[in-house]
Amino acid sequence: MSSVSTQLSAWTERLPLEITKVNHRLAIASLISQIGIIVTGGAVRLTNSGLGCSNWPNCVPGSMTPTPEMGIHGLIEFGNRLLTFVLVVIAVAMIVSVWRMRRTHRTIYLLSLSLLSVIPVQAIIGGITVWTKLNPWVVSLHFLASTALVAVATLLVNRTALKLDGHREILAIPSSPTQRTLGWTIALAASAAVVLGTIVTGTGPHAGDALAPRHNFSADLVTRIHVVPVYILVAATIIALVLAYRIQTAQALKTALWWLVVVIGLQAAIGYIQHFNGLPVLLVLFHMLGSALLVSAATNVWDRATGRFPV
């Protein structure tokens, strides 16, 4: 036992004491994988494969893997479950890579730990989703947990980039009180839009299975409610962008705002086109990707505008 401990100690001594490009690349991989599993989860629902595996943690009673009787839907659902292990591998690699910095770079370590610790919770929510036969409220919670991890991964990317460049503060130029208020407004409006978007989805036709329950709401009404925070988000983003060029503002915040403008524009276009064309599957999938990108972009703006999260 002491020999194993000695070997382990010798191995950990080789780990870096400062943030390297490897750490930053793992942070980026975390963000991409968290966004990716949202897209693949959407593909499961949009192909009516939500109950392709009818049980959890087994795919079907008595079998961890899908049986031939489950057909293509079983393979699609099981494939999405397997992607969870990819997230785990990346999250573990991230924690290992910053292990010797857990005291000196505490924020980065805790963000890395958060990504790993939430994955089992997300898996359990996925199991409850199957057990409740795709109850739309549980499906929404499953999606929102993933978007929360996208936000965490975005902060992790920002922090590793800062440390890699030798910066000690998120804001090279302090933002004004108005910019900080707009940063909070953008974050809250984007969050509200995403949350209400899950209710719109839960009311719509793409349930993941023909027999899955749906919200008994007016689709037109919940859609109109959903766009209210979108309008607020658009207004706050425009004001923040104009203000960024009227007063001295860090370039990182300007860049973050432009990225947000691009994401909002694409997401709004997709949203309107899909709404007036009967919610075609491919556009709905792109809209889910857009939701993940919106969360990341809004989180980035909030981070750059407020500087409230520790470095």
Side-chain angles (χ1 to χ4, degrees), residues 5 29 33 40 52 64-66 75 80 138-139 151 175 241 247 253 257 261 271 287 302 304:
S5 177
S33 62
T40 58
M64 183 66 72
T65 59
L75 292 175
N80 187 61
V138 183
V139 172
S175 57
L241 190 60
I247 64 175
L253 177 54
L257 284 166
V261 168
H287 201 53
W302 171 82
R304 305 290 186 181

Side-chain angles (χ1 to χ4, degrees), residues 217-229:
F217 301 137
S218 164
D220 184 64
L221 177 60
V222 293
T223 300
R224 291 177 183 275
I225 295 173
H226 164 57
V227 299
V228 172

Side-chain angles (χ1 to χ4, degrees), residues 117-294:
S117 62
V118 176
I119 290 173
V121 177
Q122 180 71 318
I124 292 172
I125 296 173
I128 297 173
T129 302
V130 174
W131 294 337
T132 59
K133 305 302 179 185
L134 307 182
N135 180 287
W137 293 113
V138 183
V139 172
S140 295
L141 181 61
H142 196 41
F143 173 79
L144 293 173
S146 291
T147 59
L149 290 177
V150 168
V152 171
T154 300
L155 293 172
L156 185 60
V157 170
N158 281 359
R159 293 301 172 281
T160 54
L162 284 170
K163 293 295 184 180
L164 190 61
D165 293 338
H167 298 306
R168 295 185 177 182
E169 296 180 351
I170 186 67
L171 298 173
I173 300 175
S175 57
S176 68
T178 303
Q179 286 176 312
R180 290 193 292 272
T181 299
L182 288 168
W184 278 105
T185 303
I186 286 168
L188 294 173
S191 299
V194 171
V195 171
L196 291 172
T198 65
I199 298 177
V200 175
T201 300
T203 307
H206 301 297
D209 187 82
L211 300 179
R214 310 305 290 146
H215 292 315
N216 190 27
F217 301 137
S218 164
D220 184 64
L221 177 60
V222 293
T223 300
R224 291 177 183 275
I225 295 173
H226 164 57
V227 299
V228 172
V230 175
Y231 292 146
I232 296 173
L233 173 63
V234 170
T237 302
I238 292 173
I239 295 171
L241 190 60
V242 171
L243 184 62
Y245 284 90
R246 291 179 65 89
I247 64 175
Q248 188 181 29
T249 301
Q251 182 59 44
L253 177 54
K254 292 179 181 178
T255 302
L257 284 166
W258 276 116
W259 274 114
L260 181 59
V261 168
V262 171
V263 172
I264 291 174
L266 291 174
Q267 184 71 330
I270 294 170
Y272 275 106
I273 294 172
Q274 71 167 11
H275 177 71
F276 291 109
N277 287 276
L279 301 176
V281 168
L282 191 57
L283 283 181
V284 174
L285 188 62
F286 281 133
H287 201 53
M288 291 189 69
L289 171 61
S291 295
L293 294 176
L294 177 64

Side-chain angles (χ1 to χ4, degrees), residues 8-29:
L8 184 61
S9 177
W11 183 79
T12 55
E13 287 297 319
R14 300 178 183 177
L15 295 174
L17 289 171
E18 295 295 335
I19 295 298
T20 67
K21 290 182 179 179
V22 172
N23 304 121
H24 185 54
R25 287 168 183 165
L26 284 171
I28 293 173

